[in-house]
């Protein structure tokens, strides 16, 4: 290192030109449902006098069909809601392209053990990590379109709350937006979801807990008393399964345990 610094001070080091990484334009997918892109877009959607909100934008790569949902932040629950809405409307897509953040994909490129990650895992939806904003160019451009068109429409209709804006999205805006911008794709690669499928069947979080000597388990500031009729020795490991709608299920060796909250 000392030699390198000497040579640098005497301008004896050959300069090497750093080239930008090569990027190739990715063509659209050929079939509807082959791949979706998801992203959150923060803006003053309801005016500068209101706090920023986040528009969760889900778009089909082949057709540019949009499905959106407003929330205060780019939350796991909001992403799960908009993906489940898509599944109920069109079916199960083959893959989804998302940022490397814990809401979608862990930084080690594994699926997150949360509502969104388990929903994708259980329904065999491939999660593809994006390594740059350009990789999700279609959804990024779609976000800008919504910023240009949706903000004035919300102000025109005096919509200033997330609840009212989601109602406006589903009842009016998205239908007209997709009618204008979405492409008609003949081939559909969505899979049909299981009959009578509920979001709780696929979207949940599982955490590991130890049973105390008094047969209690603590989870998120609550204490659960396992009832005597269950076989579950003290100090044993159980799993707490929290469904998307908030139901708590205690599991020991794949057996559901009955409990009281104390």
């Amino acid at each position: 290192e000392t030699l390198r610094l000497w040579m640098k001070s005497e301008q004896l080091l050959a300069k090497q030109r750093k080239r930008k990484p090569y990027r190739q334009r990715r063509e659209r997918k050929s079939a509807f449902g082959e791949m979706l892109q998801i992203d959150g877009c923060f803006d003053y959607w309801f005016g500068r006098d209101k706090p920023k909100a986040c528009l969760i934008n889900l778009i089909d790569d082949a057709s540019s069909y949009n499905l959106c949902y407003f929330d205060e932040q780019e939350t796991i629950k909001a992403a799960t809601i908009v993906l489940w809405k898509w599944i109920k409307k069109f079916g199960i897509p083959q893959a989804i392209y998302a940022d490397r953040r814990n809401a979608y994909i862990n930084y080690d490129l594994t699926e997150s053990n949360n509502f969104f990650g388990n929903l994708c895992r259980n329904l065999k939806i491939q999660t593809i990590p994006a390594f740059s904003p350009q990789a999700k160019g279609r959804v990024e451009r779609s976000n800008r379109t919504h910023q240009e068109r949706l903000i004035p429409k919300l102000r025109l209709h005096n919509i200033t709350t997330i609840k009212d804006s989601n109602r406006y999205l589903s009842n009016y805006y998205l239908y007209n937006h997709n009618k204008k911008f979405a492409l008609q794709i003949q081939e559909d690669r969505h899979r049909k979801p299981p009959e009578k499928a509920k979001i709780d069947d696929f979207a949940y979080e599982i955490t590991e807990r130890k049973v105390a000597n008094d047969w209690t388990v603590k989870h998120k500031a609550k204490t659960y008393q396992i009832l005597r009729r269950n076989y579950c020795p003290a100090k044993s490991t159980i799993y707490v399964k929290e469904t998307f709608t908030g139901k708590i299920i205690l599991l020991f060796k794949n057996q559901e345990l009955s409990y009281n909250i104390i």
Side-chain angles (χ1 to χ4, degrees):
E1 177 64 12
T2 301
L3 178 61
R4 188 190 69 81
L5 293 174
W6 287 346
M7 295 180 68
K8 181 180 179 181
S9 64
E10 297 296 331
Q11 299 182 354
L12 297 176
L13 288 177
K15 293 183 180 180
Q16 294 183 353
R17 184 178 180 181
K18 293 183 179 180
R19 295 185 178 182
K20 293 183 178 180
Y22 173 74
R23 303 186 188 277
Q24 184 175 355
R25 182 182 179 88
R26 184 180 58 77
E27 299 298 327
R28 284 180 182 267
K29 296 296 183 181
S30 59
F32 183 52
E34 187 174 355
M35 187 180 75
L36 309 181
Q37 295 185 22
I38 190 169
D39 191 41
C41 180
F42 286 90
D43 208 332
Y44 292 100
W45 295 97
F46 313 124
R48 293 282 175 177
D49 58 330
K50 301 289 184 180
K52 280 188 175 183
C54 183
L55 179 73
I56 308 294
N57 189 4
L58 189 62
I59 184 172
D60 178 64
D61 189 75
S63 65
S64 292
Y65 189 96
N66 273 224
L67 191 61
C68 303
Y69 182 81
F70 273 110
D71 203 344
E72 294 179 358
Q73 300 291 332
E74 191 174 1
T75 64
I76 295 168
K77 281 203 167 186
T80 307
I81 287 171
V82 72
L83 179 56
W84 184 250
K85 284 178 177 289
W86 186 284
I87 291 169
K88 295 293 287 183
K89 188 170 185 177
F90 299 111
I92 304 170
Q94 290 189 340
I96 187 165
Y97 210 20
D99 283 328
R100 289 180 297 155
R101 63 177 62 188
N102 289 334
Y104 307 121
I105 303 172
N106 293 326
Y107 282 98
D108 60 0
L109 307 186
T110 59
E111 290 171 331
S112 297
N113 184 29
N114 54 34
F115 298 127
F116 184 85
N118 283 320
L119 177 63
C120 293
R121 185 182 296 106
N122 292 325
L123 293 177
K124 295 180 171 56
I125 302 172
Q126 181 187 6
T127 51
I128 304 172
F131 291 91
S132 67
Q134 293 80 5
K136 303 191 301 15
R138 206 168 313 286
V139 72
E140 296 282 354
R141 291 189 293 273
S142 176
N143 287 340
R144 290 195 292 271
T145 301
H146 290 311
Q147 287 171 312
E148 293 172 359
R149 299 173 64 87
L150 180 55
I151 290 177
K153 288 180 181 293
L154 291 174
R155 292 179 183 175
L156 182 65
H157 291 83
N158 296 318
I159 296 173
T160 58
T161 66
I162 289 176
K163 183 178 179 180
D164 290 341
S165 62
N166 281 325
R167 190 182 298 115
Y168 176 72
L169 284 176
S170 58
N171 293 341
Y172 178 78
Y173 175 78
L174 287 174
Y175 172 80
N176 290 283
H177 178 86
N178 289 319
K179 186 177 180 180
K180 181 177 180 65
F181 293 104
L183 306 177
Q184 296 297 321
I185 305 295
Q186 298 299 322
E187 187 178 358
D188 189 348
R189 294 189 184 174
H190 285 94
R191 291 177 285 115
K192 188 176 180 181
E195 190 174 354
K196 297 181 180 178
K198 297 179 180 178
I199 191 170
D200 280 358
D201 298 333
F202 311 102
Y204 49 77
E205 292 180 343
I206 294 180
T207 54
E208 188 177 291
R209 291 290 184 268
K210 286 286 186 182
V211 179
N213 289 330
D214 56 356
W215 280 22
T216 58
V217 171
K218 292 186 178 181
H219 177 69
K220 292 187 176 179
K222 290 185 178 180
T223 302
Y224 299 86
Q225 176 71 67
I226 300 172
L227 300 184
R228 186 179 180 83
R229 62 176 174 265
N230 298 278
Y231 173 73
C232 181
K235 303 297 184 183
S236 58
T237 299
I238 70 167
Y239 293 95
V240 180
K241 179 179 179 180
E242 182 178 352
T243 67
F244 186 79
T245 58
K247 183 180 178 182
I248 298 294
I249 301 172
L250 305 185
L251 296 170
F252 176 66
K253 295 184 177 180
N254 295 325
Q255 296 295 319
E256 187 172 340
L257 305 174
S258 52
Y259 63 85
N260 289 326
I261 300 176
I262 59 175

